[in-house]
Amino acid sequence: MSRLKDKFSAQAVLQALAAPALALLAAFALSSAVIMATGKDPFHAFYVMVDFGFKSDSQVWIINKAIPYYLSAAAVAIGFRMNLFNIGVDGQYRVAAFFAAVVGGALALPGVLQIPVIIITAMAVGALWAGIAGVLKTTRGVSEVITTIMLNSIAGSLIGYFLSENKLGVKDGNLFHTPTIPESGRFFLLPTTPDPIYGTVLIAAVIGLAYWFVLGRTRFGFDLRAVGRSESAAAASGVSVRRMVVTSMLLSGAVAGLVGMPTLLNKSFSYGTDFPTGVGFTGIAIALLGRNHPIGMALAALLWGFLERTGIQLEFEGYEQEIVGVMQGVIVLCVVIAYEIVRRVVLRRQQSAVGAELSAQNAPSTESTQAEKAGTTA
């Protein structure tokens, strides 16, 4: 059995290395074919991307861009681990950032209190918004996909209603925004050159560690994953499926509430009509690309930021602006397909190894049984 375990561990390492390598090769080949179809040189495009992407100012830009992407992916991945599709992260983080900005702009507390109040407000609002979908799923059987999509639309309408001059907004030219958060409510910046890195990168790091520990090293995480694998089996073992559904949606929404904090606390200091949107949908792609693993999602978020940053330079070089979007889609598809192919290959090899091991163990017992029968007959 030790040999069998060694084989399985070696196959696990093979799967971990083979799938990304296969995905990168396939993505490189398909992206090259797409660029060549436009009449451009793909090798020059990749050279421009690498050269521009590794400049110091580009690295800072990529890291800052990757922070909300990573938080969004973590929020989506919490649902994925339980077989829930929280497609409403985009609405959850926007409504959370809006009300957190309103609270932050209305208070004038010391920074040690102001910042936690803003962050807790964002997490509470995000959890509440996602919890609606969890409650509807457990009490009325409504799919979380439908409810979260509808809640995205409601969130946009709610923000549009309150973000006006006569309510919670302030008019600034052609834009409306919430009252500006005072200096005490702004997150620190890491002093790097030529531009600073957002201090909210520490929030992303804490969320990543908490995600790894809670989902992978606690009884709660085991129950959550068990429900995702089989609700009937989890219920038979004493796990409350309804409670786990609502809890996971609340956790997913709470993390989603943090997605807007890098922009709110490190850049804009208010929520306006120009606040970034669509980050929640990007998080779905990054969660898939990172295979719901905290390190994998971090690398995927950095890769996404790298593609967006270098795509700007590709436009200056005369390449079509849609090239980067095509490359992002190709990479996600290649990763999903590559992991599935490698998983099936490894599964077949494991089944063959188990069969061979069991046959080898049963062979001596069969021979001894035949010898005993022969002795009895004699």
Side-chain angles (χ1 to χ4, degrees):
M1 292 300 292
S2 60
R3 288 183 298 171
L4 192 59
K5 291 180 179 178
D6 292 339
K7 289 180 181 179
F8 283 171
S9 61
Q11 290 173 350
V13 173
L14 176 64
Q15 183 179 9
L17 297 177
L22 178 62
L24 289 176
L25 288 175
F28 178 81
L30 291 175
S31 299
S32 299
V34 171
I35 296 175
M36 290 179 63
T38 64
K40 302 290 184 178
D41 182 4
F43 296 102
H44 178 69
F46 294 134
Y47 170 78
V48 170
M49 294 173 69
V50 172
D51 180 66
F52 185 71
F54 281 89
K55 294 182 182 296
S56 57
D57 57 339
S58 293
Q59 292 176 4
V60 172
W61 191 95
I62 291 169
I63 293 173
N64 290 337
K65 196 73 173 179
I67 298 172
Y69 287 166
Y70 180 76
L71 292 170
S72 177
V76 173
I78 293 173
F80 278 168
R81 296 297 293 269
M82 197 176 160
N83 204 24
L84 292 174
F85 195 15
N86 182 10
I87 203 173
V89 171
D90 201 71
Q92 292 154 22
Y93 92 80
R94 285 192 290 137
V95 73
F98 173 74
F99 284 104
V102 171
V103 172
L107 298 178
L109 302 174
V112 69
L113 296 176
Q114 180 95 340
I115 294 176
V117 167
I118 295 173
I119 293 176
I120 291 173
T121 300
M123 295 181 70
V125 174
L128 177 63
W129 206 251
I132 296 173
V135 171
L136 288 175
K137 181 177 180 64
T138 55
T139 59
R140 293 292 181 266
V142 183
S143 170
E144 73 279 3
V145 176
I146 296 175
T147 52
T148 51
I149 290 175
M150 294 177 64
L151 287 169
N152 282 342
S153 178
I154 296 173
S157 300
L158 184 68
I159 294 171
Y161 174 77
F162 283 110
L163 194 61
S164 60
E165 193 172 9
N166 298 325
K167 295 181 178 64
L168 300 177
V170 177
K171 189 174 183 180
D172 185 6
N174 295 326
L175 300 177
F176 288 91
H177 62 82
T178 59
T180 304
I181 297 175
E183 291 284 345
S184 60
R186 302 179 184 183
F187 221 80
F188 64 89
L189 298 170
L190 298 178
T192 56
T193 56
D195 299 312
I197 295 176
Y198 295 164
T200 44
V201 68
L202 298 181
I203 295 179
V206 170
I207 291 299
L209 289 173
Y211 175 90
W212 167 80
F213 179 77
V214 173
L215 269 67
R217 295 293 184 274
T218 65
R219 172 60 187 271
F220 170 79
F222 175 81
D223 291 344
L224 186 146
R225 289 181 282 112
V227 174
R229 293 289 183 88
S230 174
E231 292 186 3
S232 58
S237 63
V239 179
S240 175
V241 175
R242 290 188 175 185
R243 180 172 57 84
M244 293 302 299
V245 169
V246 175
T247 303
S248 63
M249 288 300 295
L250 290 173
L251 287 176
S252 180
V255 176
L258 296 173
V259 174
M261 295 302 99
T263 303
L264 181 64
L265 300 181
N266 277 133
K267 184 179 179 181
S268 65
F269 311 115
S270 66
Y271 188 102
T273 49
D274 58 343
F275 203 82
T277 60
V279 181
F281 299 109
T282 303
I284 297 173
I286 293 175
L288 292 172
L289 190 58
R291 306 296 296 175
N292 300 326
H293 191 279
I295 297 178
M297 290 187 295
L299 296 175
L302 291 171
L303 174 61
W304 214 264
F306 172 83
L307 292 174
E308 290 188 357
R309 177 66 172 178
T310 54
I312 299 173
Q313 188 64 22
L314 283 179
E315 289 187 42
F316 289 121
E317 296 286 334
Y319 289 85
E320 301 294 334
Q321 62 179 357
E322 292 81 8
I323 288 297
V324 172
V326 171
M327 293 176 66
Q328 290 172 335
V330 165
I331 290 173
V332 172
L333 287 176
C334 288
V335 166
V336 173
I337 294 172
Y339 268 95
E340 181 61 22
I341 292 174
V342 173
R343 185 191 68 82
R344 292 187 180 187
V345 171
V346 171
L347 180 61
R348 289 174 183 173
R349 294 187 63 181
Q350 288 177 348
Q351 292 172 345
S352 299
V354 170
E357 189 76 15
L358 293 176
S359 299
Q361 290 178 355
N362 292 332
S365 60
T366 302
E367 293 175 358
S368 61
T369 302
Q370 292 176 349
E372 290 177 359
K373 288 182 178 179
T376 303
T377 304

